[in-house]
Amino acid sequence: MLLWSYGSQKGSWLLEAFISSTWIQVNFLALARIMSSDVEKAWDHDHANFILIALIVHGGPDALQLIANTIQGKAARCAHSKRGCRVLVALLREDRRGVYMDHVIMELLADARSLITHAYGHLVIKEMLEYARDQRVVRRITFYLMERLKDLAEHEHAAQVIEKVLEKAAALYPIGKYVI
Protein backbone atom coordinates (compact mmCIF):
# COMPACT_ATOMS: atom_id res chain seq x y z
CA MET A 1 0.00 0.00 0.00
CA LEU A 2 1.38 3.41 -0.90
CA LEU A 3 2.45 5.55 2.05
CA TRP A 4 0.58 8.67 0.97
CA SER A 5 -2.66 6.74 0.49
CA TYR A 6 -3.12 6.82 4.27
CA GLY A 7 -3.59 10.55 3.88
CA SER A 8 -3.78 11.31 7.57
CA GLN A 9 -1.96 14.20 9.11
CA LYS A 10 -1.23 12.25 12.31
CA GLY A 11 0.08 9.30 10.28
CA SER A 12 2.49 11.53 8.35
CA TRP A 13 3.67 13.18 11.58
CA LEU A 14 4.32 9.75 13.08
CA LEU A 15 6.26 8.52 10.04
CA GLU A 16 8.17 11.81 9.87
CA ALA A 17 9.11 11.39 13.56
CA PHE A 18 10.37 7.85 12.89
CA ILE A 19 12.48 9.09 9.98
CA SER A 20 14.06 11.94 11.93
CA SER A 21 14.55 9.89 15.10
CA THR A 22 18.09 8.95 16.05
CA TRP A 23 17.06 6.03 18.24
CA ILE A 24 14.98 4.07 15.71
CA GLN A 25 16.61 2.14 12.84
CA VAL A 26 14.88 3.08 9.59
CA ASN A 27 15.72 1.59 6.21
CA PHE A 28 15.79 4.95 4.41
CA LEU A 29 16.60 3.51 1.01
CA ALA A 30 13.65 1.08 1.10
CA LEU A 31 11.35 3.89 2.19
CA ALA A 32 12.74 6.18 -0.54
CA ARG A 33 12.09 3.44 -3.13
CA ILE A 34 8.48 3.18 -2.01
CA MET A 35 8.04 6.96 -2.15
CA SER A 36 9.78 7.27 -5.51
CA SER A 37 7.45 4.76 -7.15
CA ASP A 38 5.03 7.61 -7.68
CA VAL A 39 6.94 10.71 -6.67
CA GLU A 40 4.50 13.15 -8.29
CA LYS A 41 1.67 11.99 -6.03
CA ALA A 42 4.03 12.19 -3.06
CA TRP A 43 5.20 15.76 -3.69
CA ASP A 44 1.67 17.00 -4.36
CA HIS A 45 0.02 15.29 -1.40
CA ASP A 46 -0.86 17.38 1.66
CA HIS A 47 1.12 15.17 4.03
CA ALA A 48 3.34 12.86 1.97
CA ASN A 49 5.51 15.76 0.80
CA PHE A 50 6.67 16.20 4.40
CA ILE A 51 7.67 12.51 4.50
CA LEU A 52 9.58 12.98 1.23
CA ILE A 53 11.38 16.02 2.69
CA ALA A 54 12.22 14.08 5.87
CA LEU A 55 13.73 11.33 3.70
CA ILE A 56 15.79 13.92 1.82
CA VAL A 57 17.07 15.49 5.04
CA HIS A 58 17.66 12.34 7.10
CA GLY A 59 17.94 9.54 4.54
CA GLY A 60 21.55 9.97 3.56
CA PRO A 61 23.17 10.11 0.12
CA ASP A 62 21.50 7.00 -1.32
CA ALA A 63 17.97 8.21 -0.58
CA LEU A 64 18.89 11.72 -1.78
CA GLN A 65 20.23 10.36 -5.07
CA LEU A 66 17.21 8.10 -5.60
CA ILE A 67 14.74 10.95 -5.08
CA ALA A 68 16.78 13.36 -7.24
CA ASN A 69 16.94 10.79 -10.05
CA THR A 70 13.21 10.15 -9.77
CA ILE A 71 12.41 13.86 -10.10
CA GLN A 72 14.57 14.14 -13.22
CA GLY A 73 12.34 14.92 -16.19
CA LYS A 74 9.64 16.25 -13.86
CA ALA A 75 11.53 19.06 -12.12
CA ALA A 76 9.72 21.93 -13.84
CA ARG A 77 6.32 20.47 -12.90
CA CYS A 78 7.60 19.96 -9.38
CA ALA A 79 8.78 23.59 -9.14
CA HIS A 80 5.38 24.87 -10.31
CA SER A 81 3.65 22.92 -7.55
CA LYS A 82 2.85 24.46 -4.17
CA ARG A 83 4.18 21.47 -2.27
CA GLY A 84 6.65 20.25 -4.89
CA CYS A 85 8.72 23.41 -4.63
CA ARG A 86 9.39 22.51 -0.97
CA VAL A 87 10.78 19.15 -2.08
CA LEU A 88 13.10 20.79 -4.63
CA VAL A 89 14.27 23.36 -2.07
CA ALA A 90 15.09 20.53 0.36
CA LEU A 91 17.00 18.66 -2.38
CA LEU A 92 19.01 21.78 -3.27
CA ARG A 93 19.86 22.44 0.38
CA GLU A 94 20.88 18.88 1.18
CA ASP A 95 23.01 18.32 -1.92
CA ARG A 96 25.84 20.41 -0.51
CA ARG A 97 28.50 18.90 -2.74
CA GLY A 98 26.45 19.36 -5.89
CA VAL A 99 26.68 15.70 -6.84
CA TYR A 100 23.06 14.61 -7.18
CA MET A 101 21.22 17.64 -8.49
CA ASP A 102 23.19 18.67 -11.61
CA HIS A 103 20.71 17.09 -14.02
CA VAL A 104 17.75 18.60 -12.15
CA ILE A 105 19.39 22.05 -12.08
CA MET A 106 19.97 21.95 -15.84
CA GLU A 107 16.32 21.01 -16.33
CA LEU A 108 15.21 23.88 -14.08
CA LEU A 109 17.47 26.32 -15.92
CA ALA A 110 15.79 25.36 -19.19
CA ASP A 111 12.50 26.53 -17.65
CA ALA A 112 13.96 29.41 -15.62
CA ARG A 113 12.18 32.16 -17.58
CA SER A 114 8.78 30.92 -16.47
CA LEU A 115 9.93 29.92 -12.97
CA ILE A 116 11.28 33.41 -12.19
CA THR A 117 7.77 34.89 -12.26
CA HIS A 118 5.89 31.90 -10.86
CA ALA A 119 4.43 31.99 -7.34
CA TYR A 120 6.33 28.85 -6.27
CA GLY A 121 8.95 28.50 -8.99
CA HIS A 122 10.73 31.69 -7.92
CA LEU A 123 11.44 30.07 -4.54
CA VAL A 124 13.28 27.25 -6.31
CA ILE A 125 15.25 29.73 -8.46
CA LYS A 126 16.24 31.69 -5.33
CA GLU A 127 17.44 28.48 -3.70
CA MET A 128 19.42 27.57 -6.83
CA LEU A 129 21.12 30.95 -6.60
CA GLU A 130 21.82 30.48 -2.89
CA TYR A 131 23.42 27.05 -3.24
CA ALA A 132 24.86 27.32 -6.76
CA ARG A 133 28.32 25.80 -6.94
CA ASP A 134 28.64 26.61 -10.62
CA GLN A 135 28.77 30.31 -11.47
CA ARG A 136 27.25 29.53 -14.87
CA VAL A 137 23.94 28.98 -13.06
CA VAL A 138 24.08 32.48 -11.59
CA ARG A 139 25.14 34.00 -14.93
CA ARG A 140 22.37 32.26 -16.85
CA ILE A 141 19.66 33.38 -14.42
CA THR A 142 21.13 36.90 -14.45
CA PHE A 143 21.00 36.85 -18.26
CA TYR A 144 17.30 35.89 -18.17
CA LEU A 145 16.64 38.72 -15.74
CA MET A 146 18.53 41.27 -17.84
CA GLU A 147 16.43 40.44 -20.91
CA ARG A 148 13.36 41.97 -19.26
CA LEU A 149 14.74 43.73 -16.21
CA LYS A 150 12.33 46.67 -16.23
CA ASP A 151 9.24 44.44 -16.39
CA LEU A 152 10.60 41.86 -13.98
CA ALA A 153 11.67 44.45 -11.38
CA GLU A 154 8.00 45.38 -11.00
CA HIS A 155 6.87 41.76 -10.72
CA GLU A 156 6.22 40.53 -7.17
CA HIS A 157 8.08 37.21 -7.46
CA ALA A 158 10.75 38.15 -9.99
CA ALA A 159 11.80 41.10 -7.81
CA GLN A 160 12.76 38.62 -5.09
CA VAL A 161 14.93 36.72 -7.58
CA ILE A 162 16.58 39.99 -8.64
CA GLU A 163 17.30 40.75 -4.98
CA LYS A 164 18.93 37.31 -4.56
CA VAL A 165 21.08 37.84 -7.68
CA LEU A 166 22.23 41.20 -6.29
CA GLU A 167 23.07 39.60 -2.92
CA LYS A 168 25.07 36.90 -4.68
CA ALA A 169 26.88 39.49 -6.83
CA ALA A 170 27.68 41.62 -3.78
CA ALA A 171 29.23 38.60 -2.05
CA LEU A 172 31.28 37.68 -5.12
CA TYR A 173 32.35 41.22 -6.05
CA PRO A 174 32.60 43.48 -2.98
CA ILE A 175 32.29 47.12 -4.05
CA GLY A 176 35.07 48.37 -1.78
CA LYS A 177 37.55 46.14 -3.51
CA TYR A 178 37.09 47.94 -6.83
CA VAL A 179 36.94 51.54 -5.62
CA ILE A 180 39.90 53.60 -6.81
Side-chain angles (χ1 to χ4, degrees), residues 26-138:
V26 177
N27 186 340
F28 292 115
L29 195 54
L31 197 52
R33 282 191 185 114
I34 293 169
M35 293 294 285
S36 69
S37 66
D38 202 350
V39 75
E40 287 182 75
K41 282 185 183 175
W43 83 52
D44 250 349
H45 192 274
D46 289 342
H47 309 299
N49 71 79
F50 290 109
I51 297 169
L52 202 54
I53 291 168
L55 277 171
I56 291 166
V57 172
H58 302 288
D62 292 336
L64 182 69
Q65 182 174 12
L66 180 65
I67 294 168
N69 289 344
T70 306
I71 286 179
Q72 184 177 6
K74 305 169 190 145
R77 281 197 315 267
C78 189
H80 282 95
S81 164
K82 178 180 181 178
R83 294 172 188 91
C85 75
R86 292 185 210 152
V87 173
L88 281 172
V89 165
L91 281 167
L92 289 164
R93 286 182 182 165
E94 292 303 314
D95 186 20
R96 291 183 183 92
R97 293 177 299 164
V99 188
Y100 309 110
M101 290 294 290
D102 285 342
H103 55 282
V104 174
I105 288 173
M106 291 302 126
E107 185 181 336
L108 290 168
L109 279 175
D111 200 36
R113 284 185 177 95
S114 71
L115 291 174
I116 287 169
T117 57
H118 191 268
Y120 307 116
H122 83 281
L123 299 170
V124 175
I125 296 292
K126 284 173 48 178
E127 212 63 33
M128 282 173 54
L129 289 166
E130 181 71 29
Y131 293 100
R133 287 140 198 85
D134 187 351
Q135 290 306 308
R136 292 178 292 182
V137 172
V138 177

Side-chain angles (χ1 to χ4, degrees), residues 109-172:
L109 279 175
D111 200 36
R113 284 185 177 95
S114 71
L115 291 174
I116 287 169
T117 57
H118 191 268
Y120 307 116
H122 83 281
L123 299 170
V124 175
I125 296 292
K126 284 173 48 178
E127 212 63 33
M128 282 173 54
L129 289 166
E130 181 71 29
Y131 293 100
R133 287 140 198 85
D134 187 351
Q135 290 306 308
R136 292 178 292 182
V137 172
V138 177
R139 279 183 279 191
R140 194 157 170 194
I141 293 170
T142 304
F143 174 75
Y144 293 149
L145 292 170
M146 296 303 292
E147 289 177 334
R148 301 179 21 231
L149 187 59
K150 185 177 185 249
D151 297 331
L152 293 175
E154 295 173 354
H155 190 278
E156 175 184 5
H157 306 302
Q160 293 177 32
V161 177
I162 292 169
E163 181 181 359
K164 182 56 81 176
V165 165
L166 292 172
E167 285 175 16
K168 194 78 170 175
L172 291 172

